[in-house]
Amino acid sequence: MTFSDFVGHDDAKLALILNAIDPNCGGVLFAGEKGSGKSTLSRLFKEILPEAFPFIDLPLNITEDALMGGVNIEDTIKTGRRVFQPGVLGRADGGVVYIDDVNLLSPDIASLVLEAMGRGENIVEREGIALRHPSRFILVASMNQEEGVLSPHLLDRFGMMVLWEGLKEGPQRIEVIKKAAPDVFGRSLSREDRCLRDKIRSCRSVLKDTVIPAETRDYIAQLCIENNIPGSRGDIYLMYAARAHAAYCGRKEVTRDDVDAVAPLVLAHRKRVSQQQQQQQMEQQTEQQEGRQEHGEQTGSDGQEKQHGSQSSGKHREPDGSRPDQAGMDGPDDGGRQQMESNPKEEVFETGGLFKTKRIILRKDRVNRSVSGRRTKTGSRDKSGRYVKSVQRKKDDIAIDATLRAAAPHQKARGRTEVILIRDDDLRFKQREKKMGHLVVFVVDGSGSMGARRRMVETKGAVQSLLMDCYQKRDRVSMIVFRKDRAEVILPPTSSVENASRRLREIPVGGKTPLAAGLLEAYRLIKRATVKSPEMRAIGVLITDGRANQGISGAPIGEEVRKMAQLLSELSLTDYIVVDTEDKSGFIKTDLALQIASQLGADYHTIEGLRADCLVEMVQMKKVGVFGF
């Protein structure tokens, strides 16, 4: 199969052609489902490039030395001075770097590649070498967003992105079969590619003469403003892409049509407001569904009608529709909240919809461990793990490459004849790192107020989403629920997410809010786990609106909560996340959970803010036509 034979995905092919015409377009990322041809088209790209263009397929296990370059040992030994050997970034100058599954690449390596692409040069400062050399290349990457996310920062560094979907029409799929098996069906190859290659070469020669009128520049800026594109990369890449498109179409002046043709490629992965709007639409749809459900329940059994009647009527009495939360805004003693929490009837809510959670970034420590998992990086105590760099600190894991590089410049002075002369001060040792799992302790508010406006449905959905993330990161999980007058460990530390999901579904709602008891139980649990595994790292996930109305010692409730938060914050190797379940759509908000997050030194999220700003949602939004391009 050739580039021209590739069936469908014209936007992806256009993105590659525009980058071939002008590398300033910033590269392109293909994000889509597996087996849909992303890698195939990317590798076919080299067939339409000029003959001298290098095309480098970057392996996921590449080291920093191989990427950036380092000491050429052989030449250094011969000359007695350090000789630089270019890495991938040096060899890729003037060509293409392709990364398959870029989301699985080490973030450090991905940052180095994108930084070099943005600067157009590679800067090396290592092992006595300090130099910089040109490194202008086109970056083409592909990923399946279901296998892992790419941070928004790295995503923004790509000039273009194409959301990739498999072919849905039968004739197209048949055409793929025919072109993928030329020995069976027969076909002519390469003529179209040769024509396309000649056209790209011609477009590159006229690119500098292509004019961008002032009104077109204004249109680009206005388009980015209207779509609330953050930063200036969107404007810059849109300008380069529109100019390349004009050259590709044989025009010497960039028009609005050129801008409109490439805007979806450049702006789709930068457009943030549309996601929020889509989220609002989803929320409205959810509220409408809930309204219909409540209406159905009211017309159902008498008991259910009585139970939900107060919530429904509250929406009609208050203009902002937030009566249940307003009942709690004055503190834990207001009548509405007490009435709700004093209701002896317990209710078990279903689990809400799952979503991809935001990436949890935790502090890195300097402890070396013998552990496994996928959550955070840690130093490796043994010889397992990824070799990241060499150090002089004495260990039993010699880094032969680094040792040779250190000894190479001195061979001439040491009188080397046949073998390399290595002294003790030449020895370098490997520093390895690996990933580890954490103990994640969920501390869930199960009081009666969580039943207001079915907040427990969303809360369970958020917890279940976090549990799925824990499963992927190979964490152990535990769960504590506080309600009525006590806190209870309903799930001891376990690696079974299935058990955690089952216990989550069974959590009833009812009674008061003993928040301090929940925090105290979390402290005891983490403390016990730390005694068994002193090097273990833990994450406490507190899910609450922060409103407590049940104490444990007779002291003021607020004082109890502060003391418990202080106690937890003193635990070493433990991080905290607070998920605020308070309804923020009302006019008045207490933000008590935010205060507790500050006391814990925790990351703070609302349930909606916990959602990942990721490609999974972009794909969903593309399907419903939210981007509007």
Side-chain angles (χ1 to χ4, degrees), residues 349-351 456-464 504-505 507:
F349 289 90
E350 70 272 22
T351 302
M456 198 59 180
V457 176
E458 293 183 3
T459 300
K460 285 187 175 181
V463 175
Q464 182 63 43
L504 175 67
R505 290 194 296 270
I507 292 178

Side-chain angles (χ1 to χ4, degrees), residues 360 375 439-445 462-463 466-467 470 478-480 482 519 522 526 538-544 574-580 600 602-603 605 610:
I360 299 172
R375 173 68 65 183
L439 171 62
V440 182
V441 180
F442 291 91
V443 187
V444 183
D445 184 351
V463 175
L466 289 167
L467 283 172
C470 292
S478 180
M479 196 171 295
I480 296 170
F482 55 93
L519 297 177
I526 296 173
I539 304 174
V541 183
L542 176 62
I543 301 160
T544 180
T574 303
D575 299 275
Y576 298 98
I577 299 169
V578 172
V579 180
D580 191 349
L600 285 169
D603 285 341
H605 303 276
L610 200 62

